Amino acid sequence: RIHSVETCGTVDGPGIRFVIFTQGCLLRCQYCHNPDTRDLKGGKLVTVDELIEEIARYRTYMRASGGGVTISGGEPLLQPEFVREIFRRCQSRGIHTTLDTSGFPDFKRSQPVLDHTDLVLLDIKSFDPHTYHRLTSVSIEPTLHFAGYLSSLGKPMWVRFVLVPGLTDDVDNIVGVAKFVKSLKSVEKVEVLPFHQMGQYKWEAMGYDYPLKETPTPTPAQVQQAVDIFSKQGLKAH
C-alpha cells in the first residue's frame, strides 16, 4: 500500500533515485509534511511486480548518477515483507537500495528488511525523551535501539535531524543527539534539515490543526550552529 512515487528524486540518498512513499505511519510528528500518509488503510494497493517494472524504466538514470531506489513514507517498516521483496529484487538487478525510516516499528519484523538494504536514512528527531514524545507522540527508545542495531551490523547510515525553533533547537538536545550519533559505528554523515511550513496546507485541507503555524524557519545562523555541534563531535555534517 503506497501513497505515491517520485521518479527522479535527488534528496533521499545518493544520485538520482526512484522514491516510493509507502502509506501508513504511527508517529504524529508536529511538522509532518505528508499527513496524508498517516492512514494505514489509505493510499493505493500495488504489487511488487508493478513497481519493479516501473523502476526498470529508470535504471539508466540511476546507474549514470550512482543512484538507486529509496523507500520512504509514511513509514516503510510497517510493511516490512513488501519492502524487503522490493529491495531483494532491486539488489538482484544491481540497483542500490535505501530505507528512509524513523526506526520505530516492530523490531523483529523489521530486521529482515536490512538483509537487502544498502543504506539507511535514520530520522533521529530529538534526544530528550520528553521533547521526542511531545514532537511525535511516541517513545524515543525504539529508534535508539534500532540505531544501535544498525551500528552493530555496520550498516551505512545517514542520520537526519530536523531543526525546529522552540522545539528541537535547544543546545543540550542537539548535543545529546550528536553524542549519541558519535557512538554509532557506521554513520557516514548527518543532515541537519531546517523546519519548513510546506505541509501546513495539507493539514488544513484535511481538517487538522497545524500546531507549528507560528513557528519560523530557522535562520542560516541557527542551522550552522547545529551543524557545528555535530562537527565538533567529529561527524561529517551539513
Side-chain angles (χ1 to χ4, degrees), residues 109-127:
R109 284 189 67 207
S110 299
Q111 282 177 288
V113 176
L114 300 174
D115 294 342
H116 298 285
T117 301
D118 293 313
L119 172 68
V120 177
L121 309 182
L122 183 64
D123 300 318
I124 301 182
K125 303 170 189 296
S126 173
F127 190 73

Side-chain angles (χ1 to χ4, degrees), residues 63-122:
R63 283 181 176 173
S65 67
V69 170
T70 296
I71 303 187
S72 183
E75 172 52 66
L77 293 180
L78 292 177
Q79 303 179 69
E81 296 82 9
F82 173 72
V83 174
R84 183 181 187 276
E85 181 61 14
I86 292 174
F87 278 177
R88 185 190 69 79
R89 290 172 64 172
C90 283
Q91 284 190 333
S92 72
R93 292 161 172 78
I95 299 173
H96 182 273
T97 60
T98 295
L99 173 71
D100 182 6
T101 180
S102 69
F104 180 77
D106 183 85
F107 179 68
K108 288 186 177 180
R109 284 189 67 207
S110 299
Q111 282 177 288
V113 176
L114 300 174
D115 294 342
H116 298 285
T117 301
D118 293 313
L119 172 68
V120 177
L121 309 182
L122 183 64

Side-chain angles (χ1 to χ4, degrees), residues 1-23:
R1 192 174 287 276
I2 70 169
H3 174 269
S4 58
V5 301
E6 183 179 356
T7 55
C8 292
T10 58
V11 297
D12 295 305
I16 295 174
R17 309 195 67 82
F18 187 99
V19 185
I20 301 166
F21 296 94
T22 57
Q23 184 71 26

Side-chain angles (χ1 to χ4, degrees), residues 126-128 170-181 229-230:
S126 173
F127 190 73
D128 176 73
D170 181 82
V171 170
D172 289 341
N173 183 51
I174 302 172
V175 169
V177 175
K179 287 183 175 180
F180 174 73
V181 173
I229 290 172
F230 285 102

Side-chain angles (χ1 to χ4, degrees), residues 144-235:
L144 300 184
H145 177 66
F146 188 76
Y149 181 68
L150 293 173
S151 178
S152 73
L153 294 178
K155 186 68 65 177
M157 281 182 273
W158 293 4
V159 170
R160 290 174 150 182
F161 173 74
V162 179
L163 186 67
V164 186
L167 189 56
T168 67
D169 63 338
D170 181 82
V171 170
D172 289 341
N173 183 51
I174 302 172
V175 169
V177 175
K179 287 183 175 180
F180 174 73
V181 173
K182 182 184 178 181
S183 74
L184 304 174
K185 298 176 181 177
S186 52
V187 175
E188 295 182 343
K189 67 176 179 177
V190 176
E191 296 180 323
V192 177
L193 307 177
F195 163 76
H196 58 70
Q197 294 272 6
M198 288 190 287
Q200 181 177 357
Y201 77 96
K202 286 187 180 180
W203 285 64
E204 293 174 349
M206 297 178 70
Y208 298 153
D209 180 31
Y210 187 62
L212 301 180
K213 55 189 172 185
E214 303 299 328
T215 301
T217 297
T219 66
Q222 289 173 313
V223 174
Q224 188 60 51
Q225 180 188 38
V227 169
D228 289 345
I229 290 172
F230 285 102
S231 298
K232 286 178 181 177
Q233 294 296 327
L235 298 162

